[in-house]
Amino acid sequence: MNILVINCGSSSLKYQLIDMNGETVLCKGLVERIGIEGSRVKHNTTGKDKVVIEESLANHKDAISLVLDTLVDEEHGAIKSMEEIDAVGHRVVHGGESFSSSVIIDDEVMKVLYECIELAPLHNPPNIMGIEACRELMPSTPMVAVFDTAFHQTMEPDNYIYPLPYEFYEKYRIRRYGFHGTSHKYVSLRAAELLNRDIKDLNIVTCHLGNGSSVCAVEGGKSTDTSMGFTPLEGLAMGTRSGDLDPAIIPYIMDKENITFDEVNELLNKKSGVLGISGISSDFRDLEIAMENGDKRAKLALDVFVNRVKKYVGAYVATMCGIDALVFTAGIGENSSYIRRKICEGLECLNIRIDAELNNIRGEEAQLNRDLTSTAIFVIPTNEELMIARDTLGLVSK
Ligand code: AMP
């Protein structure tokens, strides 16, 4: 069975066609600049040369149409006809409280997806545009929505209720939701596989450290706590997002700088985090180089980042009463030996002992602890597309 996985952003679209017999990627690609001059698709069919096709794309429907044409293209494609696509799995950022697992898309589900827009006004609309376009172009192909928030719906109220007047939860559904759920789920399942243990018996802390970052406590296979909250702004210091702050700072800055809600929102989401502290970059590669060249603020930014991750790891080990595995994933987690080492330094009290030599890897699956009686430490490259495809297969083959 072939599953097409679609991940729509506001002006971009990532896709993969996966043959689920053997879970092999038949082809993948990225459409860029949708609705902007210079739109193109970069397409890569396994075993063939990569191609870039430039074509004017006014909207997401045009983009999906071009992707489908490319998939069946005689020269660059991976399949002969659209009939070879058995189902489509769509990434959806926010499922609110309505979706605690992936779901087959029908008219009723679409209605609820629209209702979730107010919870994720930047992310859900392009996800929905992608779904609408696919439903129009492939009306008889089953579609599944896979939510970033769903994995965290197992959190208990003591973790998801904010200490605000309770009516705000009742009236506006203001609560902690958590994000990156598909990634946390994938890497925790893979960690259990690597340990050759039943995930139900394991306490795992997963660190998804990328441009957006979050930590998750996975207890017996279920997310019991995670660092992102009502929005992806809560928790760790990130590339450009502040993460946790004293909320009193916000009106204080607005008053001092005479700025509006939109401006303070932009400040906290786009100009803060390690970019804000360093004044250099949100990219950890640039910051590591700047630090090596003696830049004190670059070092401070990395120290703040590391410090926050350590605090969350410690908190989750405490609430789970133990840890069997610590997992690093996403751009920074998979690639930065420096950040992994600094996070683990000083956590020996939690039986976390990283091995300097084993840690000297980039972008590949590896175990980083040599002493097998200590907590397992893994780098596991995330694979959200495969997780989406697996969920899609599970639902459509029922
Ligand atoms: P992601 O959001 O998962 O794509 O991660 C993107 C982030 O990964 C970038 O902002 C980089 O800071 C970080 N990254 C990628 N490669 C490296 C590397 N070799 N060393 C440190 N950070 C890296």
Side-chain angles (χ1 to χ4, degrees):
M1 185 179 270
N2 295 334
I3 304 224
L4 177 62
V5 176
I6 299 278
N7 180 356
C8 264
S10 55
S11 65
S12 67
L13 184 166
K14 283 193 259 179
Y15 62 92
Q16 275 191 21
L17 184 65
I18 303 177
D19 177 356
M20 296 309 285
N21 307 319
E23 297 188 332
T24 47
V25 176
L26 299 177
C27 66
K28 60 181 169 184
L30 169 69
V31 187
E32 294 172 307
R33 301 179 67 83
I34 301 168
I36 308 170
E37 205 182 317
S39 37
R40 59 182 171 241
V41 57
K42 293 177 181 166
H43 176 87
N44 185 3
T45 292
T46 309
K48 293 186 182 177
D49 289 340
K50 288 180 191 167
V51 280
V52 178
I53 302 162
E54 294 185 9
E55 198 173 304
S56 164
L57 303 168
N59 50 43
H60 286 74
K61 190 174 164 202
D62 285 358
I64 303 259
S65 192
L66 174 61
V67 169
L68 296 176
D69 287 348
T70 312
L71 293 181
V72 299
D73 185 86
E74 248 178 64
E75 199 181 339
H76 313 299
I79 48 175
K80 290 204 172 60
S81 85
M82 297 254 294
E83 261 94 84
E84 291 178 54
I85 302 173
D86 297 289
V88 184
H90 293 269
R91 176 191 181 215
V92 179
V93 169
H94 216 309
E97 289 188 313
S98 310
F99 301 106
S100 55
S101 58
S102 304
V103 64
I104 298 218
I105 298 170
D106 58 18
D107 291 345
E108 202 50 45
V109 166
M110 287 310 294
K111 234 170 73 193
V112 185
L113 290 183
Y114 276 100
E115 284 165 18
C116 291
I117 285 181
E118 64 173 1
L119 292 170
L122 293 180
H123 294 104
N124 272 23
N127 300 157
I128 290 174
M129 279 192 267
I131 297 173
E132 294 281 26
C134 282
R135 291 184 94 204
E136 221 175 303
L137 293 164
M138 316 163 78
S140 52
T141 309
M143 311 261 157
V144 168
V146 180
F147 304 92
D148 278 16
T149 48
F151 183 56
H152 304 299
Q153 280 293 304
T154 43
M155 280 194 287
E156 294 289 341
D158 58 348
N159 278 331
Y160 71 68
I161 291 292
Y162 286 110
L164 289 169
Y166 193 74
E167 72 219 49
F168 291 137
Y169 168 59
E170 293 174 311
K171 278 201 289 194
Y172 309 122
R173 296 285 127 190
I174 295 177
R175 52 160 282 177
R176 307 187 62 252
Y177 289 98
F179 297 87
H180 295 142
T182 310
S183 175
H184 289 297
K185 183 176 173 186
Y186 174 79
V187 297
S188 58
L189 283 167
R190 182 71 189 135
E193 230 170 70
L194 291 170
L195 287 170
N196 205 10
R197 303 258 312 265
D198 189 336
I199 197 164
K200 289 204 176 74
D201 302 327
L202 296 172
N203 291 335
I204 305 175
V205 177
T206 49
C207 303
H208 178 110
L209 310 178
N211 203 17
S213 296
S214 65
V215 182
C216 182
V218 186
E219 203 171 340
K222 290 184 176 158
S223 166
T224 50
D225 204 355
T226 189
S227 58
M228 283 179 168
F230 179 60
T231 74
L233 190 54
E234 189 178 332
L236 302 177
M238 306 178 214
T240 60
R241 294 184 204 135
S242 66
D244 299 332
L245 287 180
D246 178 344
I249 294 170
I250 296 163
Y252 193 76
I253 296 177
M254 289 176 74
D255 182 44
K256 289 281 180 198
E257 295 274 310
N258 194 21
I259 56 176
T260 62
F261 280 115
D262 283 348
E263 286 165 332
V264 81
N265 208 15
E266 163 104 359
L267 177 87
L268 297 174
N269 277 288
K270 301 262 190 285
K271 297 179 185 161
S272 299
V274 294
L275 169 67
I277 299 173
S278 69
I280 294 176
S281 173
S282 62
D283 193 308
F284 279 60
R285 285 164 289 201
D286 299 339
L287 295 177
E288 287 182 28
I289 292 167
M291 178 187 67
E292 281 158 20
N293 291 333
D295 190 293
K296 290 206 164 60
R297 268 170 54 191
K299 178 171 185 318
L300 179 62
L302 295 174
D303 287 349
V304 170
F305 177 83
V306 165
N307 183 31
R308 287 263 171 112
V309 179
K310 284 171 90 141
K311 283 195 208 175
Y312 271 100
V313 172
Y316 292 165
V317 176
T319 52
M320 292 194 294
C321 202
I323 177 170
D324 298 295
L326 175 67
V327 182
F328 292 104
T329 193
I332 302 159
E334 291 167 26
N335 292 300
S336 175
S337 342
Y338 172 76
I339 293 289
R340 292 192 301 255
R341 173 168 64 79
K342 294 302 279 183
I343 289 169
C344 293
E345 248 174 42
L347 294 185
E348 294 78 10
C349 56
L350 304 179
N351 204 20
I352 291 171
R353 288 184 197 86
I354 196 163
D355 182 278
E357 206 179 307
L358 297 178
N359 184 37
N360 197 15
I361 52 107
R362 173 173 297 178
E364 59 186 274
E365 194 170 271
Q367 186 156 357
L368 309 183
N369 62 304
R370 209 177 278 278
D371 170 6
L372 295 178
T373 61
S374 62
T375 303
I377 309 172
F378 292 116
V379 171
I380 300 178
T382 194
N383 196 340
E384 290 163 284
E385 289 78 11
L386 180 57
M387 199 73 243
I388 292 171
R390 282 182 187 164
D391 272 18
T392 304
L393 174 69
L395 281 168
V396 298
S397 45
K398 261 186 194 165

